[in-house]
Amino acid sequence: MSSCQRVARPLLQSIHQHSLLLQTSTTFTRSFSSTPARHDEGTPPPDTTTTSATSPSPPPPPPSSSINQLEAAAAEATKLRMQERLLDPNTTTAHWAERKLMRTGTPPVGSRRRRAAIRSSQNVPFEQLPYQCFQEARKILQQDRQEKLEALAKELAKIKRIEETPADQLPGGQRKKDLRLQSLRKYVEELKILVDINDPIVKRRFEDGLGDMNKPIYRHLAEQKWRGLPYRVITQRIEQLHIVPDVLPKFDPVADVQLHFRRKKVEPGEILNSRVSEVSPRLKVQVFNAGKRLVSVAVVDLDVPNAETDSFDRRCHYLAANIPIGPDQPSLPLGKVDKETQLAVPWLPAFSQMGAPYHRLVVFVLEQKDGATLDIAKLRELYSARDGFSLKSFQDKFPLKAVGVNIFRTIWDENTAGVMERAGVPGADIQFKFKRVYSLKGPQKARGWEAKRSKPKYKSLWKYSKRIHGMNRRR
């Protein structure tokens, strides 16, 4: 075979295969065609007069505009069904859908991998998973739960018996009776937690964010989770930024306080842009003990420069009281409190003047002891001036106890001047500069190799000391 034939052979094979494919497709189309045969294929043409007389005429086809409208409606319905499926918090895996659900207040359930597994599975209930080891372990856990329930019933019966017994019939009198009841009630709360601590369904509901915070087991799991990394981070920021002792002589948080500005969650100690902190934030205060309570919220700037005294003062940026919260009611938007009965000092945007160091703004949540209600008129009279606010003095004057804190910082940026102008705060044109501090020591006598050889005797060596820092080049 010549070289020309070897080159042309693949081309001929391709052309041959293409022609066979065209013949096959043509035959396939004709075999399933519903059109009548052509007149030149040997079939006599039908009698149009007879056919029209014996059979009714076919209905006219619908107009093309109606077909287009139906197709558009069907496509729109399909798109809506797909969007509803993607916006399901139990099965969504799209990033945009997760962000949209977070904005609407219904966050996705669990991890993305778990939601993908649920969407592709047969939706078997969690407690009916067909795994023998899993079911055998659940039987053991059910037996342990039953033992805990029996012990809980015994303790409750013991408490009821002691409550019904008069104090004079018990050793130690009323004082001993109260201590005994307090100890038993504490043990009962521990048993309520131990009853469900190993239940996989309880843990699954907690991980999905569906736990009822009115129940002791879910409060216990939430506190365990918070005592991990979040607690260590906030205590580290308290120590690093010297919140203790600058604000309070000692403080240990017992409630989780999360800070949100414009749908942005603020990490403790984060430096925020002035535009972000211009509006009042939203707090999420999660407490871990049962019952409703009233709290006060104070936002304090700890680094207000005072040029006259060459020091730093404090300023109150927000103060509110008599705000109800609970384990199942953690949301606390500062901009939606009652202006008549709760708001004492309205929100002032955080700002820092040019040249000043960063300002530390602390958000303290203080629990009002025994549910006492504070007098808002008195708070306005004491703290409406904002300047010179002392959180320790505020805590000592009223029945308050600090339970939680969060921190953010602010510096001068390109938006600070506009924020100060809109808030009516003067001083945007002031710039702070560091004053140079001169040494009080007198001139020191030259020492070392250069001083020893600075005499004319060593003039030949001066050229080697020209580039030494601090040496006078003019001899």
Side-chain angles (χ1 to χ4, degrees), residues 147-183:
E147 294 175 1
K148 297 292 192 305
L149 287 174
E150 294 175 359
L152 179 62
K154 290 181 181 178
E155 296 298 325
L156 290 175
K158 190 184 298 184
I159 291 175
K160 185 178 180 181
R161 185 174 64 253
I162 295 176
E163 288 177 343
E164 294 175 352
T165 305
D168 53 359
Q169 298 181 10
L170 294 174
Q174 185 66 35
R175 179 178 173 275
K176 194 70 175 179
K177 177 181 178 181
D178 294 340
L179 289 176
R180 181 64 174 161
L181 288 175
Q182 182 181 359
S183 176

Side-chain angles (χ1 to χ4, degrees), residues 52-283:
S52 62
T54 57
S55 62
S57 60
S64 59
S65 61
S66 302
I67 296 177
N68 295 336
Q69 292 177 358
L70 292 175
E71 292 178 353
E76 187 68 23
T78 306
K79 183 179 178 180
L80 290 175
R81 286 196 300 270
M82 182 62 69
Q83 189 173 5
E84 290 178 358
R85 180 184 176 186
L86 289 174
L87 290 176
D88 185 3
N90 295 306
T91 58
T92 182
T93 56
H95 294 272
W96 65 268
E98 293 176 359
R99 290 193 295 268
K100 188 172 182 179
L101 287 171
M102 291 291 290
R103 287 195 299 268
T104 56
T106 55
V109 176
S111 64
R112 189 178 295 117
R113 179 181 296 179
R114 177 184 175 277
R115 294 193 297 271
I118 290 176
R119 188 173 63 182
S120 59
S121 65
Q122 299 179 358
N123 204 12
V124 179
F126 182 72
E127 60 274 9
Q128 298 178 9
L129 291 176
Y131 302 114
Q132 183 177 2
C133 182
F134 176 73
Q135 296 298 337
E136 293 296 329
R138 288 193 70 244
K139 290 179 182 177
I140 296 174
L141 294 177
Q142 290 293 336
Q143 294 175 1
D144 179 73
R145 186 176 188 273
Q146 191 63 33
E147 294 175 1
K148 297 292 192 305
L149 287 174
E150 294 175 359
L152 179 62
K154 290 181 181 178
E155 296 298 325
L156 290 175
K158 190 184 298 184
I159 291 175
K160 185 178 180 181
R161 185 174 64 253
I162 295 176
E163 288 177 343
E164 294 175 352
T165 305
D168 53 359
Q169 298 181 10
L170 294 174
Q174 185 66 35
R175 179 178 173 275
K176 194 70 175 179
K177 177 181 178 181
D178 294 340
L179 289 176
R180 181 64 174 161
L181 288 175
Q182 182 181 359
S183 176
L184 286 174
R185 291 190 182 108
K186 183 178 179 181
Y187 182 56
V188 164
E189 293 298 323
E190 294 177 0
L191 284 177
K192 288 180 181 178
I193 294 173
L194 294 176
V195 164
D196 297 320
I197 192 65
N198 297 317
D199 193 344
I201 299 177
V202 170
K203 292 189 175 182
R204 177 175 178 265
R205 288 184 60 84
F206 173 73
E207 291 174 359
D208 293 346
L210 304 176
D212 184 5
M213 296 302 293
N214 287 320
K215 297 182 179 180
I217 179 62
Y218 292 110
R219 293 198 302 270
H220 172 74
L221 294 174
E223 185 174 9
Q224 273 190 334
K225 183 178 180 180
W226 176 69
R227 289 284 177 181
L229 182 62
Y231 174 77
R232 292 200 294 268
V233 168
I234 191 64
T235 52
Q236 184 189 57
R237 297 298 181 270
I238 291 172
E239 181 181 356
Q240 286 179 339
L241 299 176
H242 305 287
I243 306 303
V244 174
D246 287 357
V247 183
L248 294 174
K250 58 181 180 178
F251 171 68
D252 184 32
V254 294
D256 182 17
V257 180
Q258 298 179 14
L259 187 64
H260 299 263
F261 278 103
R262 298 180 184 269
R263 299 175 181 171
K264 170 184 171 58
K265 183 179 178 181
V266 180
E267 297 298 328
E270 184 177 353
I271 297 178
L272 297 181
N273 190 285
S274 300
R275 286 287 302 274
V276 175
S277 59
E278 186 177 5
V279 297
S280 58
R282 176 176 60 88
L283 302 182

